Amino acid sequence: QQALNVNKHTIEELNTFEEPEIVMEKFLKILSPYENKGYFDRLIVGGYNVVFDINMLLNFFARVYHPNHKLDGNYWIYYTNFYKYIQNRHIDVMQLVPLVEKKIKIEFKSHKLEDVYKSFFPKETYEAHNALSDIQMTIKLHKLFLRILELT
Protein backbone atom coordinates (compact mmCIF):
# COMPACT_ATOMS: atom_id res chain seq x y z
CA GLN A 1 0.00 0.00 0.00
CA GLN A 2 2.85 2.37 0.79
CA ALA A 3 4.33 1.97 -2.70
CA LEU A 4 0.91 2.67 -4.21
CA ASN A 5 0.56 5.83 -2.14
CA VAL A 6 4.02 7.11 -3.10
CA ASN A 7 3.27 6.53 -6.78
CA LYS A 8 -0.28 7.87 -6.48
CA HIS A 9 -2.04 4.70 -7.63
CA THR A 10 -4.87 2.64 -6.20
CA ILE A 11 -5.44 -1.12 -6.03
CA GLU A 12 -8.24 -0.65 -8.54
CA GLU A 13 -5.84 0.98 -11.02
CA LEU A 14 -3.25 -1.73 -10.40
CA ASN A 15 -5.83 -4.35 -11.33
CA THR A 16 -6.29 -2.71 -14.74
CA PHE A 17 -2.60 -2.96 -15.69
CA GLU A 18 -1.50 -5.50 -18.28
CA GLU A 19 -0.16 -8.86 -17.18
CA PRO A 20 3.62 -8.93 -16.59
CA GLU A 21 4.18 -11.32 -19.49
CA ILE A 22 2.53 -8.90 -21.93
CA VAL A 23 4.52 -5.98 -20.55
CA MET A 24 7.73 -8.03 -20.84
CA GLU A 25 6.92 -8.87 -24.46
CA LYS A 26 6.46 -5.17 -25.27
CA PHE A 27 9.59 -4.23 -23.32
CA LEU A 28 11.70 -6.83 -25.13
CA LYS A 29 10.37 -5.61 -28.47
CA ILE A 30 11.77 -2.16 -27.62
CA LEU A 31 15.08 -3.71 -26.57
CA SER A 32 15.28 -6.21 -29.45
CA PRO A 33 17.56 -4.11 -31.70
CA TYR A 34 20.24 -4.44 -28.98
CA GLU A 35 19.86 -8.17 -28.32
CA ASN A 36 23.12 -10.12 -28.36
CA LYS A 37 25.01 -7.24 -29.94
CA GLY A 38 28.63 -6.58 -29.19
CA TYR A 39 29.12 -5.33 -25.67
CA PHE A 40 29.55 -1.67 -26.68
CA ASP A 41 26.48 -1.80 -28.93
CA ARG A 42 24.18 -2.64 -26.02
CA LEU A 43 22.25 -0.04 -24.04
CA ILE A 44 23.63 1.73 -20.99
CA VAL A 45 21.08 2.33 -18.25
CA GLY A 46 21.11 5.86 -16.89
CA GLY A 47 19.17 7.50 -14.12
CA TYR A 48 19.17 8.87 -10.62
CA ASN A 49 19.98 6.24 -7.99
CA VAL A 50 19.88 3.93 -10.97
CA VAL A 51 20.93 0.81 -9.05
CA PHE A 52 17.40 0.84 -7.60
CA ASP A 53 15.95 0.86 -11.12
CA ILE A 54 18.29 -1.89 -12.31
CA ASN A 55 17.29 -4.06 -9.35
CA MET A 56 13.62 -3.42 -10.16
CA LEU A 57 14.23 -4.50 -13.77
CA LEU A 58 16.10 -7.60 -12.63
CA ASN A 59 13.26 -8.36 -10.23
CA PHE A 60 10.81 -7.98 -13.12
CA PHE A 61 12.84 -10.35 -15.32
CA ALA A 62 12.97 -12.82 -12.43
CA ARG A 63 9.20 -12.70 -11.83
CA VAL A 64 8.39 -13.22 -15.50
CA TYR A 65 10.96 -15.90 -16.28
CA HIS A 66 10.88 -17.69 -12.90
CA PRO A 67 7.51 -16.89 -11.26
CA ASN A 68 7.87 -19.51 -8.53
CA HIS A 69 11.39 -18.55 -7.51
CA LYS A 70 11.75 -16.82 -4.15
CA LEU A 71 13.28 -13.41 -4.79
CA ASP A 72 15.97 -13.12 -2.17
CA GLY A 73 18.06 -10.35 -3.68
CA ASN A 74 20.35 -12.78 -5.53
CA TYR A 75 19.70 -11.69 -9.10
CA TRP A 76 22.74 -13.31 -10.71
CA ILE A 77 20.70 -16.07 -12.34
CA TYR A 78 18.62 -13.46 -14.22
CA TYR A 79 21.56 -11.55 -15.61
CA THR A 80 21.71 -13.72 -18.73
CA ASN A 81 18.29 -12.58 -19.93
CA PHE A 82 18.76 -8.96 -18.87
CA TYR A 83 22.29 -8.39 -20.09
CA LYS A 84 21.61 -9.67 -23.60
CA TYR A 85 20.37 -6.13 -24.20
CA ILE A 86 22.16 -3.93 -21.68
CA GLN A 87 25.76 -3.29 -20.69
CA ASN A 88 26.69 -4.13 -17.11
CA ARG A 89 27.67 -0.54 -16.39
CA HIS A 90 25.45 2.44 -15.82
CA ILE A 91 25.31 6.21 -15.50
CA ASP A 92 24.08 7.37 -12.11
CA VAL A 93 23.55 11.12 -11.82
CA MET A 94 23.20 10.77 -8.04
CA GLN A 95 26.87 9.77 -7.89
CA LEU A 96 27.75 13.27 -9.10
CA VAL A 97 25.96 15.00 -6.21
CA PRO A 98 28.90 14.87 -3.73
CA LEU A 99 31.25 16.20 -6.43
CA VAL A 100 28.86 19.07 -7.18
CA GLU A 101 28.48 19.80 -3.45
CA LYS A 102 32.24 20.01 -3.09
CA LYS A 103 32.70 22.08 -6.25
CA ILE A 104 30.11 24.75 -5.43
CA LYS A 105 30.50 24.48 -1.65
CA ILE A 106 26.91 23.60 -0.87
CA GLU A 107 25.26 20.82 1.11
CA PHE A 108 21.88 19.65 -0.11
CA LYS A 109 19.02 18.89 2.29
CA SER A 110 19.32 15.29 1.10
CA HIS A 111 20.51 13.50 -2.01
CA LYS A 112 16.95 12.62 -3.04
CA LEU A 113 16.17 13.63 -6.61
CA GLU A 114 13.44 16.08 -5.68
CA ASP A 115 15.56 17.79 -2.98
CA VAL A 116 18.58 18.24 -5.25
CA TYR A 117 16.38 19.38 -8.13
CA LYS A 118 14.55 21.91 -5.97
CA SER A 119 17.90 23.34 -4.82
CA PHE A 120 18.70 24.35 -8.41
CA PHE A 121 15.20 24.94 -9.75
CA PRO A 122 13.13 26.14 -6.76
CA LYS A 123 10.37 27.76 -8.82
CA GLU A 124 9.75 24.82 -11.13
CA THR A 125 6.97 22.39 -10.43
CA TYR A 126 7.44 18.68 -10.90
CA GLU A 127 5.70 15.46 -10.07
CA ALA A 128 7.97 13.35 -7.90
CA HIS A 129 7.76 9.57 -8.44
CA ASN A 130 6.29 10.04 -11.89
CA ALA A 131 8.57 8.22 -14.31
CA LEU A 132 8.51 10.84 -17.06
CA SER A 133 8.96 13.71 -14.61
CA ASP A 134 11.83 11.88 -12.87
CA ILE A 135 13.53 11.32 -16.23
CA GLN A 136 13.15 14.97 -17.20
CA MET A 137 14.54 16.14 -13.83
CA THR A 138 17.44 13.70 -14.08
CA ILE A 139 18.38 14.82 -17.59
CA LYS A 140 18.25 18.47 -16.57
CA LEU A 141 20.41 17.84 -13.48
CA HIS A 142 22.87 15.73 -15.47
CA LYS A 143 23.42 18.51 -18.01
CA LEU A 144 23.80 21.08 -15.25
CA PHE A 145 26.21 18.89 -13.26
CA LEU A 146 28.41 18.33 -16.30
CA ARG A 147 28.66 22.09 -16.77
CA ILE A 148 29.35 22.71 -13.07
CA LEU A 149 32.04 20.03 -13.05
CA GLU A 150 33.41 21.39 -16.33
CA LEU A 151 33.01 18.06 -18.08
CA THR A 152 31.33 19.47 -21.19
mmCIF file with all atom_site columns, all heavy atoms in Angstrom, residues 56-72:
data_model
loop_
_atom_site.group_PDB
_atom_site.id
_atom_site.type_symbol
_atom_site.label_atom_id
_atom_site.label_alt_id
_atom_site.label_comp_id
_atom_site.label_asym_id
_atom_site.label_entity_id
_atom_site.label_seq_id
_atom_site.pdbx_PDB_ins_code
_atom_site.Cartn_x
_atom_site.Cartn_y
_atom_site.Cartn_z
_atom_site.occupancy
_atom_site.B_iso_or_equiv
_atom_site.pdbx_formal_charge
_atom_site.auth_seq_id
_atom_site.auth_comp_id
_atom_site.auth_asym_id
_atom_site.auth_atom_id
_atom_site.pdbx_PDB_model_num
ATOM 1   N N   . MET A 1 56 ? 15.045 -3.243  -9.840  1.00 0.00 ? 56 MET A N   1
ATOM 2   C CA  . MET A 1 56 ? 13.624 -3.416  -10.158 1.00 0.00 ? 56 MET A CA  1
ATOM 3   C C   . MET A 1 56 ? 13.464 -4.153  -11.489 1.00 0.00 ? 56 MET A C   1
ATOM 4   O O   . MET A 1 56 ? 12.609 -5.031  -11.617 1.00 0.00 ? 56 MET A O   1
ATOM 5   C CB  . MET A 1 56 ? 12.904 -2.057  -10.213 1.00 0.00 ? 56 MET A CB  1
ATOM 6   C CG  . MET A 1 56 ? 12.806 -1.361  -8.873  1.00 0.00 ? 56 MET A CG  1
ATOM 7   S SD  . MET A 1 56 ? 11.875 -2.305  -7.646  1.00 0.00 ? 56 MET A SD  1
ATOM 8   C CE  . MET A 1 56 ? 10.225 -2.042  -8.225  1.00 0.00 ? 56 MET A CE  1
ATOM 9   N N   . LEU A 1 57 ? 14.284 -3.801  -12.473 1.00 0.00 ? 57 LEU A N   1
ATOM 10  C CA  . LEU A 1 57 ? 14.226 -4.501  -13.767 1.00 0.00 ? 57 LEU A CA  1
ATOM 11  C C   . LEU A 1 57 ? 14.634 -5.968  -13.622 1.00 0.00 ? 57 LEU A C   1
ATOM 12  O O   . LEU A 1 57 ? 13.984 -6.852  -14.189 1.00 0.00 ? 57 LEU A O   1
ATOM 13  C CB  . LEU A 1 57 ? 15.121 -3.805  -14.793 1.00 0.00 ? 57 LEU A CB  1
ATOM 14  C CG  . LEU A 1 57 ? 14.586 -2.487  -15.342 1.00 0.00 ? 57 LEU A CG  1
ATOM 15  C CD1 . LEU A 1 57 ? 15.664 -1.767  -16.145 1.00 0.00 ? 57 LEU A CD1 1
ATOM 16  C CD2 . LEU A 1 57 ? 13.351 -2.723  -16.206 1.00 0.00 ? 57 LEU A CD2 1
ATOM 17  N N   . LEU A 1 58 ? 15.689 -6.211  -12.854 1.00 0.00 ? 58 LEU A N   1
ATOM 18  C CA  . LEU A 1 58 ? 16.103 -7.599  -12.631 1.00 0.00 ? 58 LEU A CA  1
ATOM 19  C C   . LEU A 1 58 ? 15.012 -8.378  -11.904 1.00 0.00 ? 58 LEU A C   1
ATOM 20  O O   . LEU A 1 58 ? 14.745 -9.545  -12.227 1.00 0.00 ? 58 LEU A O   1
ATOM 21  C CB  . LEU A 1 58 ? 17.412 -7.645  -11.846 1.00 0.00 ? 58 LEU A CB  1
ATOM 22  C CG  . LEU A 1 58 ? 18.652 -7.260  -12.640 1.00 0.00 ? 58 LEU A CG  1
ATOM 23  C CD1 . LEU A 1 58 ? 19.844 -7.062  -11.714 1.00 0.00 ? 58 LEU A CD1 1
ATOM 24  C CD2 . LEU A 1 58 ? 18.967 -8.300  -13.695 1.00 0.00 ? 58 LEU A CD2 1
ATOM 25  N N   . ASN A 1 59 ? 14.369 -7.743  -10.950 1.00 0.00 ? 59 ASN A N   1
ATOM 26  C CA  . ASN A 1 59 ? 13.257 -8.359  -10.227 1.00 0.00 ? 59 ASN A CA  1
ATOM 27  C C   . ASN A 1 59 ? 12.130 -8.686  -11.197 1.00 0.00 ? 59 ASN A C   1
ATOM 28  O O   . ASN A 1 59 ? 11.536 -9.762  -11.148 1.00 0.00 ? 59 ASN A O   1
ATOM 29  C CB  . ASN A 1 59 ? 12.783 -7.390  -9.132  1.00 0.00 ? 59 ASN A CB  1
ATOM 30  C CG  . ASN A 1 59 ? 11.725 -7.973  -8.244  1.00 0.00 ? 59 ASN A CG  1
ATOM 31  O OD1 . ASN A 1 59 ? 10.795 -8.621  -8.700  1.00 0.00 ? 59 ASN A OD1 1
ATOM 32  N ND2 . ASN A 1 59 ? 11.857 -7.718  -6.961  1.00 0.00 ? 59 ASN A ND2 1
ATOM 33  N N   . PHE A 1 60 ? 11.849 -7.763  -12.123 1.00 0.00 ? 60 PHE A N   1
ATOM 34  C CA  . PHE A 1 60 ? 10.806 -7.978  -13.119 1.00 0.00 ? 60 PHE A CA  1
ATOM 35  C C   . PHE A 1 60 ? 11.156 -9.161  -14.021 1.00 0.00 ? 60 PHE A C   1
ATOM 36  O O   . PHE A 1 60 ? 10.327 -10.043 -14.278 1.00 0.00 ? 60 PHE A O   1
ATOM 37  C CB  . PHE A 1 60 ? 10.602 -6.699  -13.930 1.00 0.00 ? 60 PHE A CB  1
ATOM 38  C CG  . PHE A 1 60 ? 9.545  -6.799  -14.988 1.00 0.00 ? 60 PHE A CG  1
ATOM 39  C CD1 . PHE A 1 60 ? 8.236  -7.113  -14.661 1.00 0.00 ? 60 PHE A CD1 1
ATOM 40  C CD2 . PHE A 1 60 ? 9.854  -6.568  -16.320 1.00 0.00 ? 60 PHE A CD2 1
ATOM 41  C CE1 . PHE A 1 60 ? 7.254  -7.194  -15.637 1.00 0.00 ? 60 PHE A CE1 1
ATOM 42  C CE2 . PHE A 1 60 ? 8.887  -6.641  -17.302 1.00 0.00 ? 60 PHE A CE2 1
ATOM 43  C CZ  . PHE A 1 60 ? 7.589  -6.959  -16.961 1.00 0.00 ? 60 PHE A CZ  1
ATOM 44  N N   . PHE A 1 61 ? 12.402 -9.213  -14.501 1.00 0.00 ? 61 PHE A N   1
ATOM 45  C CA  . PHE A 1 61 ? 12.844 -10.352 -15.318 1.00 0.00 ? 61 PHE A CA  1
ATOM 46  C C   . PHE A 1 61 ? 12.689 -11.650 -14.531 1.00 0.00 ? 61 PHE A C   1
ATOM 47  O O   . PHE A 1 61 ? 12.235 -12.658 -15.069 1.00 0.00 ? 61 PHE A O   1
ATOM 48  C CB  . PHE A 1 61 ? 14.305 -10.167 -15.747 1.00 0.00 ? 61 PHE A CB  1
ATOM 49  C CG  . PHE A 1 61 ? 14.474 -9.450  -17.052 1.00 0.00 ? 61 PHE A CG  1
ATOM 50  C CD1 . PHE A 1 61 ? 14.240 -8.086  -17.152 1.00 0.00 ? 61 PHE A CD1 1
ATOM 51  C CD2 . PHE A 1 61 ? 14.869 -10.132 -18.192 1.00 0.00 ? 61 PHE A CD2 1
ATOM 52  C CE1 . PHE A 1 61 ? 14.397 -7.417  -18.353 1.00 0.00 ? 61 PHE A CE1 1
ATOM 53  C CE2 . PHE A 1 61 ? 15.033 -9.471  -19.407 1.00 0.00 ? 61 PHE A CE2 1
ATOM 54  C CZ  . PHE A 1 61 ? 14.790 -8.101  -19.484 1.00 0.00 ? 61 PHE A CZ  1
ATOM 55  N N   . ALA A 1 62 ? 13.056 -11.615 -13.269 1.00 0.00 ? 62 ALA A N   1
ATOM 56  C CA  . ALA A 1 62 ? 12.967 -12.821 -12.433 1.00 0.00 ? 62 ALA A CA  1
ATOM 57  C C   . ALA A 1 62 ? 11.518 -13.279 -12.291 1.00 0.00 ? 62 ALA A C   1
ATOM 58  O O   . ALA A 1 62 ? 11.219 -14.470 -12.424 1.00 0.00 ? 62 ALA A O   1
ATOM 59  C CB  . ALA A 1 62 ? 13.569 -12.553 -11.060 1.00 0.00 ? 62 ALA A CB  1
ATOM 60  N N   . ARG A 1 63 ? 10.612 -12.335 -12.017 1.00 0.00 ? 63 ARG A N   1
ATOM 61  C CA  . ARG A 1 63 ? 9.201  -12.698 -11.827 1.00 0.00 ? 63 ARG A CA  1
ATOM 62  C C   . ARG A 1 63 ? 8.586  -13.263 -13.092 1.00 0.00 ? 63 ARG A C   1
ATOM 63  O O   . ARG A 1 63 ? 7.779  -14.180 -13.043 1.00 0.00 ? 63 ARG A O   1
ATOM 64  C CB  . ARG A 1 63 ? 8.392  -11.494 -11.350 1.00 0.00 ? 63 ARG A CB  1
ATOM 65  C CG  . ARG A 1 63 ? 8.597  -11.195 -9.890  1.00 0.00 ? 63 ARG A CG  1
ATOM 66  C CD  . ARG A 1 63 ? 7.681  -10.093 -9.387  1.00 0.00 ? 63 ARG A CD  1
ATOM 67  N NE  . ARG A 1 63 ? 8.009  -8.831  -10.031 1.00 0.00 ? 63 ARG A NE  1
ATOM 68  C CZ  . ARG A 1 63 ? 7.122  -8.049  -10.631 1.00 0.00 ? 63 ARG A CZ  1
ATOM 69  N NH1 . ARG A 1 63 ? 5.867  -8.364  -10.676 1.00 0.00 ? 63 ARG A NH1 1
ATOM 70  N NH2 . ARG A 1 63 ? 7.503  -6.918  -11.193 1.00 0.00 ? 63 ARG A NH2 1
ATOM 71  N N   . VAL A 1 64 ? 8.973  -12.738 -14.250 1.00 0.00 ? 64 VAL A N   1
ATOM 72  C CA  . VAL A 1 64 ? 8.386  -13.215 -15.504 1.00 0.00 ? 64 VAL A CA  1
ATOM 73  C C   . VAL A 1 64 ? 8.989  -14.554 -15.910 1.00 0.00 ? 64 VAL A C   1
ATOM 74  O O   . VAL A 1 64 ? 8.269  -15.474 -16.284 1.00 0.00 ? 64 VAL A O   1
ATOM 75  C CB  . VAL A 1 64 ? 8.550  -12.168 -16.629 1.00 0.00 ? 64 VAL A CB  1
ATOM 76  C CG1 . VAL A 1 64 ? 8.157  -12.742 -17.974 1.00 0.00 ? 64 VAL A CG1 1
ATOM 77  C CG2 . VAL A 1 64 ? 7.717  -10.931 -16.308 1.00 0.00 ? 64 VAL A CG2 1
ATOM 78  N N   . TYR A 1 65 ? 10.301 -14.676 -15.821 1.00 0.00 ? 65 TYR A N   1
ATOM 79  C CA  . TYR A 1 65 ? 10.962 -15.901 -16.277 1.00 0.00 ? 65 TYR A CA  1
ATOM 80  C C   . TYR A 1 65 ? 10.936 -17.026 -15.244 1.00 0.00 ? 65 TYR A C   1
ATOM 81  O O   . TYR A 1 65 ? 10.997 -18.192 -15.594 1.00 0.00 ? 65 TYR A O   1
ATOM 82  C CB  . TYR A 1 65 ? 12.411 -15.612 -16.687 1.00 0.00 ? 65 TYR A CB  1
ATOM 83  C CG  . TYR A 1 65 ? 12.500 -14.874 -17.998 1.00 0.00 ? 65 TYR A CG  1
ATOM 84  C CD1 . TYR A 1 65 ? 12.950 -13.562 -18.039 1.00 0.00 ? 65 TYR A CD1 1
ATOM 85  C CD2 . TYR A 1 65 ? 12.105 -15.472 -19.181 1.00 0.00 ? 65 TYR A CD2 1
ATOM 86  C CE1 . TYR A 1 65 ? 13.025 -12.873 -19.247 1.00 0.00 ? 65 TYR A CE1 1
ATOM 87  C CE2 . TYR A 1 65 ? 12.172 -14.792 -20.394 1.00 0.00 ? 65 TYR A CE2 1
ATOM 88  C CZ  . TYR A 1 65 ? 12.635 -13.495 -20.413 1.00 0.00 ? 65 TYR A CZ  1
ATOM 89  O OH  . TYR A 1 65 ? 12.690 -12.824 -21.609 1.00 0.00 ? 65 TYR A OH  1
ATOM 90  N N   . HIS A 1 66 ? 10.867 -16.690 -13.977 1.00 0.00 ? 66 HIS A N   1
ATOM 91  C CA  . HIS A 1 66 ? 10.880 -17.687 -12.896 1.00 0.00 ? 66 HIS A CA  1
ATOM 92  C C   . HIS A 1 66 ? 9.853  -17.309 -11.840 1.00 0.00 ? 66 HIS A C   1
ATOM 93  O O   . HIS A 1 66 ? 10.206 -16.953 -10.723 1.00 0.00 ? 66 HIS A O   1
ATOM 94  C CB  . HIS A 1 66 ? 12.278 -17.790 -12.269 1.00 0.00 ? 66 HIS A CB  1
ATOM 95  C CG  . HIS A 1 66 ? 13.349 -18.106 -13.248 1.00 0.00 ? 66 HIS A CG  1
ATOM 96  N ND1 . HIS A 1 66 ? 13.602 -19.388 -13.673 1.00 0.00 ? 66 HIS A ND1 1
ATOM 97  C CD2 . HIS A 1 66 ? 14.213 -17.312 -13.923 1.00 0.00 ? 66 HIS A CD2 1
ATOM 98  C CE1 . HIS A 1 66 ? 14.595 -19.362 -14.554 1.00 0.00 ? 66 HIS A CE1 1
ATOM 99  N NE2 . HIS A 1 66 ? 14.974 -18.121 -14.723 1.00 0.00 ? 66 HIS A NE2 1
ATOM 100 N N   . PRO A 1 67 ? 8.554  -17.392 -12.169 1.00 0.00 ? 67 PRO A N   1
ATOM 101 C CA  . PRO A 1 67 ? 7.514  -16.887 -11.264 1.00 0.00 ? 67 PRO A CA  1
ATOM 102 C C   . PRO A 1 67 ? 7.454  -17.580 -9.907  1.00 0.00 ? 67 PRO A C   1
ATOM 103 O O   . PRO A 1 67 ? 6.985  -16.996 -8.947  1.00 0.00 ? 67 PRO A O   1
ATOM 104 C CB  . PRO A 1 67 ? 6.220  -17.095 -12.043 1.00 0.00 ? 67 PRO A CB  1
ATOM 105 C CG  . PRO A 1 67 ? 6.544  -18.020 -13.150 1.00 0.00 ? 67 PRO A CG  1
ATOM 106 C CD  . PRO A 1 67 ? 8.013  -17.936 -13.401 1.00 0.00 ? 67 PRO A CD  1
ATOM 107 N N   . ASN A 1 68 ? 7.936  -18.799 -9.804  1.00 0.00 ? 68 ASN A N   1
ATOM 108 C CA  . ASN A 1 68 ? 7.872  -19.514 -8.529  1.00 0.00 ? 68 ASN A CA  1
ATOM 109 C C   . ASN A 1 68 ? 9.136  -19.385 -7.696  1.00 0.00 ? 68 ASN A C   1
ATOM 110 O O   . ASN A 1 68 ? 9.210  -19.907 -6.594  1.00 0.00 ? 68 ASN A O   1
ATOM 111 C CB  . ASN A 1 68 ? 7.557  -21.000 -8.766  1.00 0.00 ? 68 ASN A CB  1
ATOM 112 C CG  . ASN A 1 68 ? 6.204  -21.178 -9.409  1.00 0.00 ? 68 ASN A CG  1
ATOM 113 O OD1 . ASN A 1 68 ? 5.258  -20.482 -9.078  1.00 0.00 ? 68 ASN A OD1 1
ATOM 114 N ND2 . ASN A 1 68 ? 6.127  -22.097 -10.360 1.00 0.00 ? 68 ASN A ND2 1
ATOM 115 N N   . HIS A 1 69 ? 10.130 -18.709 -8.224  1.00 0.00 ? 69 HIS A N   1
ATOM 116 C CA  . HIS A 1 69 ? 11.393 -18.549 -7.506  1.00 0.00 ? 69 HIS A CA  1
ATOM 117 C C   . HIS A 1 69 ? 11.256 -17.491 -6.427  1.00 0.00 ? 69 HIS A C   1
ATOM 118 O O   . HIS A 1 69 ? 10.697 -16.430 -6.650  1.00 0.00 ? 69 HIS A O   1
ATOM 119 C CB  . HIS A 1 69 ? 12.520 -18.164 -8.464  1.00 0.00 ? 69 HIS A CB  1
ATOM 120 C CG  . HIS A 1 69 ? 13.838 -18.013 -7.798  1.00 0.00 ? 69 HIS A CG  1
ATOM 121 N ND1 . HIS A 1 69 ? 14.579 -19.101 -7.400  1.00 0.00 ? 69 HIS A ND1 1
ATOM 122 C CD2 . HIS A 1 69 ? 14.532 -16.920 -7.413  1.00 0.00 ? 69 HIS A CD2 1
ATOM 123 C CE1 . HIS A 1 69 ? 15.689 -18.674 -6.831  1.00 0.00 ? 69 HIS A CE1 1
ATOM 124 N NE2 . HIS A 1 69 ? 15.676 -17.347 -6.823  1.00 0.00 ? 69 HIS A NE2 1
ATOM 125 N N   . LYS A 1 70 ? 11.756 -17.794 -5.238  1.00 0.00 ? 70 LYS A N   1
ATOM 126 C CA  . LYS A 1 70 ? 11.745 -16.824 -4.148  1.00 0.00 ? 70 LYS A CA  1
ATOM 127 C C   . LYS A 1 70 ? 12.797 -15.758 -4.450  1.00 0.00 ? 70 LYS A C   1
ATOM 128 O O   . LYS A 1 70 ? 13.968 -16.057 -4.619  1.00 0.00 ? 70 LYS A O   1
ATOM 129 C CB  . LYS A 1 70 ? 12.073 -17.522 -2.825  1.00 0.00 ? 70 LYS A CB  1
ATOM 130 C CG  . LYS A 1 70 ? 12.098 -16.585 -1.644  1.00 0.00 ? 70 LYS A CG  1
ATOM 131 C CD  . LYS A 1 70 ? 12.383 -17.365 -0.365  1.00 0.00 ? 70 LYS A CD  1
ATOM 132 C CE  . LYS A 1 70 ? 12.447 -16.408 0.788   1.00 0.00 ? 70 LYS A CE  1
ATOM 133 N NZ  . LYS A 1 70 ? 13.787 -16.153 1.247   1.00 0.00 ? 70 LYS A NZ  1
ATOM 134 N N   . LEU A 1 71 ? 12.360 -14.507 -4.514  1.00 0.00 ? 71 LEU A N   1
ATOM 135 C CA  . LEU A 1 71 ? 13.276 -13.409 -4.792  1.00 0.00 ? 71 LEU A CA  1
ATOM 136 C C   . LEU A 1 71 ? 13.976 -13.015 -3.499  1.00 0.00 ? 71 LEU A C   1
ATOM 137 O O   . LEU A 1 71 ? 13.386 -12.436 -2.613  1.00 0.00 ? 71 LEU A O   1
ATOM 138 C CB  . LEU A 1 71 ? 12.521 -12.219 -5.373  1.00 0.00 ? 71 LEU A CB  1
ATOM 139 C CG  . LEU A 1 71 ? 11.847 -12.495 -6.709  1.00 0.00 ? 71 LEU A CG  1
ATOM 140 C CD1 . LEU A 1 71 ? 11.012 -11.307 -7.132  1.00 0.00 ? 71 LEU A CD1 1
ATOM 141 C CD2 . LEU A 1 71 ? 12.871 -12.824 -7.770  1.00 0.00 ? 71 LEU A CD2 1
ATOM 142 N N   . ASP A 1 72 ? 15.234 -13.357 -3.408  1.00 0.00 ? 72 ASP A N   1
ATOM 143 C CA  . ASP A 1 72 ? 15.975 -13.119 -2.173  1.00 0.00 ? 72 ASP A CA  1
ATOM 144 C C   . ASP A 1 72 ? 17.077 -12.087 -2.352  1.00 0.00 ? 72 ASP A C   1
ATOM 145 O O   . ASP A 1 72 ? 17.946 -11.933 -1.514  1.00 0.00 ? 72 ASP A O   1
ATOM 146 C CB  . ASP A 1 72 ? 16.572 -14.431 -1.659  1.00 0.00 ? 72 ASP A CB  1
ATOM 147 C CG  . ASP A 1 72 ? 17.502 -15.079 -2.670  1.00 0.00 ? 72 ASP A CG  1
ATOM 148 O OD1 . ASP A 1 72 ? 17.742 -14.485 -3.739  1.00 0.00 ? 72 ASP A OD1 1
ATOM 149 O OD2 . ASP A 1 72 ? 17.991 -16.180 -2.391  1.00 0.00 ? 72 ASP A OD2 1
#
